[in-house]
Amino acid sequence: MSYHQQSQSRYGQCDSYFVESHDDGVYALRAEARERQKALARMQQRALAEELSRLTADEYQEDVVDHMIHMESQTLPDVNSIDIQTEIQWFMRPYLLDFLVEAHAAFQLLPETLFLAVNLLDRYCSRRVVYKRHYQLVGCAALLIAAKYGDKKDRVPTVRELKSMCCSLYEDEMFTQMEWHVLQTLNWAVGHPTVDAFLQIALSEAPYDAEVEHMTLYIAEIALFHKEFVSTRPSVLARSALALARCVLSRPQSRTSEWAGAYDAQTVIGLSNHLYQPSPVLSRKYGSLHLSNVSATVDEFLQRQAQIARRDAAPPTPPPTITIEDAKPIAGLYGPQTPQKTPYGAMMHNGCLTPPITPETEQFGHVNVVKSQPVPMYPSTPTSDHASNMQHQSQYYHSTYLHPHQM
């Protein structure tokens, strides 16, 4: 019998030996079951890895904190070096930070990315002379490096997006060159223990409270805008901001035996003095529900404190005792009352609110007459069409101090 005949007797009549099976449904079910088992095994492995990681972290927690404290002292910017900059001035910093906060929110980056970007910016300004026309470029490069260092890959902004946010003021290769120059200046030492990293250590000592975490981040980001906190250690700033956040929210403070309980009272007072006039960008950012609307909570807290201060500062005077026989009209008894203090007036004895100022002349280093400007209205928080909103933000940024003669 030939091979073809044997094949026909074994497999039946067909034109080809590659016959499509009618049991595809069975194989599909088996494949789905295998995939389900693999997914379950991966979940179990991930849970086991997280448990082992937690046990290991508890064992080496003290060593990790010691290393972070050592690293923060090696990566602090120098305020005195920034003071001697020839072109950039401290009043320019709030405008640039508003831009970085908007960009950070638009790309939905991690909180630690913003703190790391500001640290890289300040460290670079401590070592290099920065021209005012390149100040925003350095900020974009710092944000790009920080996002690449610790954020998700799909969230890292592209050069094209950064260029669009800057209204095409810089070319594509300028972002790449500035990124390389920042890394070269810092000797490629990007790692820096941020306020958020120390905050997570402090929050791990107590049951998780999302409102306390959001309030602490809000206070810590307010501190980024002020010169006096530029050289403050992140560990000190994190514990002090956490203590102030718990005070605002009427939460119990940490015990002195805990790591979070060793906060600095002077830093807490300094932070509280800057709660009265936060950046409108920060106030809008932390006014959202997913951040517990902590900016509105701070405003309510300040109003209550102002009312208490007014009541304590002007106690009521009891009226004089008058007998019936001697009752006569007393002139001025129901006349004008003693004027009350304005809101927040009694709370500002430790500091003076100084909003960002804009110079009158183009020479920023030699300003003769300076007057306060009203706080500008910024565009709404960027959503999916954040590129167009960020163009308006960048146009305001450049027209404010990079090209003041065009205003």
Side-chain angles (χ1 to χ4, degrees):
M1 182 181 295
S2 64
Y3 179 78
H4 183 68
Q5 293 176 350
Q6 292 178 357
S7 300
Q8 288 182 348
S9 62
R10 180 178 300 178
Y11 301 105
Q13 298 290 337
C14 63
D15 297 333
S16 173
Y17 296 115
F18 301 97
V19 181
E20 183 178 1
S21 174
H22 297 285
D23 297 331
D24 290 342
V26 176
Y27 292 119
L29 292 176
R30 292 178 180 176
E32 184 179 355
R34 287 194 300 269
E35 292 297 329
R36 189 182 302 109
Q37 293 176 357
K38 290 180 180 179
L40 182 61
R42 285 194 296 268
M43 294 177 59
Q44 294 175 349
Q45 291 176 357
R46 188 179 298 109
L48 179 61
E50 291 178 355
E51 180 64 19
L52 293 176
S53 178
R54 185 186 63 81
L55 295 176
T56 304
D58 294 340
E59 182 179 358
Y60 295 100
Q61 183 70 26
E62 185 176 353
D63 295 335
V64 171
V65 174
D66 292 341
H67 178 70
M68 292 173 62
I69 293 177
H70 171 73
M71 285 297 299
E72 71 173 351
S73 62
Q74 303 297 321
T75 55
L76 279 180
D78 186 9
V79 176
N80 296 327
S81 298
I82 302 178
D83 280 336
I84 63 176
Q85 286 282 345
T86 57
E87 289 200 13
I88 62 173
Q89 304 295 330
W90 285 107
F91 75 87
M92 302 178 184
R93 181 184 177 86
Y95 296 102
L96 178 59
L97 290 186
D98 280 341
F99 174 81
L100 293 179
V101 169
E102 290 274 27
H104 176 269
F107 293 108
Q108 300 179 0
L109 302 175
L110 296 175
E112 61 183 12
T113 301
L114 178 62
F115 292 103
L116 179 58
V118 176
N119 174 262
L120 296 175
L121 170 67
D122 292 335
R123 286 163 60 190
Y124 180 83
C125 294
S126 301
R127 300 187 181 186
R128 298 288 185 180
V129 175
V130 181
Y131 297 105
K132 59 184 178 182
R133 63 179 180 273
H134 293 156
Y135 197 26
Q136 187 182 23
L137 180 62
V138 177
C140 291
L143 182 64
L144 184 60
I145 295 172
K148 290 181 179 179
Y149 182 79
D151 224 298
K152 297 181 180 179
K153 185 177 181 180
D154 57 341
R155 302 285 178 86
V156 176
T158 62
V159 173
R160 181 179 299 179
E161 291 171 329
L162 293 176
K163 179 181 178 181
S164 176
M165 292 178 182
C166 297
C167 301
S168 301
L169 182 65
Y170 311 107
E171 299 296 332
D172 294 353
E173 58 271 11
M174 296 180 67
F175 290 94
T176 306
Q177 292 176 3
M178 182 57 69
E179 180 183 4
W180 177 87
H181 198 259
V182 171
L183 293 172
Q184 190 80 1
T185 301
L186 302 181
N187 296 324
W188 298 83
V190 180
H192 168 72
T194 62
V195 173
D196 181 69
F198 284 106
L199 176 61
Q200 299 306 319
I201 296 176
L203 292 177
S204 63
E205 299 176 343
Y208 179 71
D209 190 336
E211 191 174 11
V212 170
E213 180 180 9
H214 296 156
M215 180 67 72
T216 307
L217 290 175
Y218 178 49
I219 297 174
E221 291 188 21
I222 290 177
L224 294 176
F225 285 74
H226 300 283
K227 173 184 175 181
E228 62 183 285
F229 301 110
V230 171
S231 294
T232 303
R233 294 175 179 267
S235 58
V236 176
L237 192 60
R239 286 182 289 194
S240 302
L242 178 59
L244 181 57
R246 286 172 171 168
C247 177
V248 173
L249 297 173
S250 301
R251 302 289 201 276
Q253 295 290 341
S254 302
R255 296 187 296 269
T256 55
S257 59
E258 298 178 349
W259 185 84
Y263 57 85
D264 182 50
Q266 294 298 325
T267 305
V268 175
I269 295 175
L271 290 172
S272 63
N273 291 334
H274 294 290
L275 293 180
Y276 299 96
Q277 196 175 17
S279 166
V281 176
L282 277 183
S283 181
R284 184 173 64 249
K285 171 184 175 181
Y286 283 93
S288 57
L289 293 178
H290 75 280
L291 291 176
S292 304
N293 196 16
V294 293
S295 61
T297 304
V298 170
D299 293 339
E300 296 173 359
F301 171 79
L302 295 177
Q303 292 176 5
R304 292 195 303 269
Q305 294 298 316
Q307 294 174 359
I308 295 174
R310 289 198 305 269
R311 184 172 63 249
D312 295 341
T317 303
T321 303
I322 304 176
T323 60
I324 299 178
E325 293 77 10
D326 299 334
K328 294 181 180 180
I330 301 178
L333 179 61
Y334 300 101
Q337 302 296 322
T338 302
Q340 302 295 325
K341 294 186 177 181
T342 57
Y344 313 148
M347 298 293 295
M348 292 170 53
H349 58 276
N350 291 326
C352 179
L353 300 179
T354 55
I357 57 177
T358 303
E360 293 290 334
T361 62
E362 188 174 0
Q363 300 297 328
F364 295 102
H366 306 279
V367 181
N368 296 326
V369 180
V370 179
K371 56 184 179 179
S372 301
Q373 297 292 338
V375 178
M377 297 300 295
Y378 292 86
S380 59
T381 303
T383 55
S384 59
D385 56 342
H386 61 272
S388 60
N389 291 334
M390 292 306 301
Q391 288 182 358
H392 295 293
Q393 173 71 10
S394 183
Q395 289 174 356
Y396 171 79
Y397 170 84
H398 290 290
S399 62
T400 302
Y401 72 84
L402 290 182
H403 305 286
H405 60 277
Q406 296 179 0
M407 295 184 63

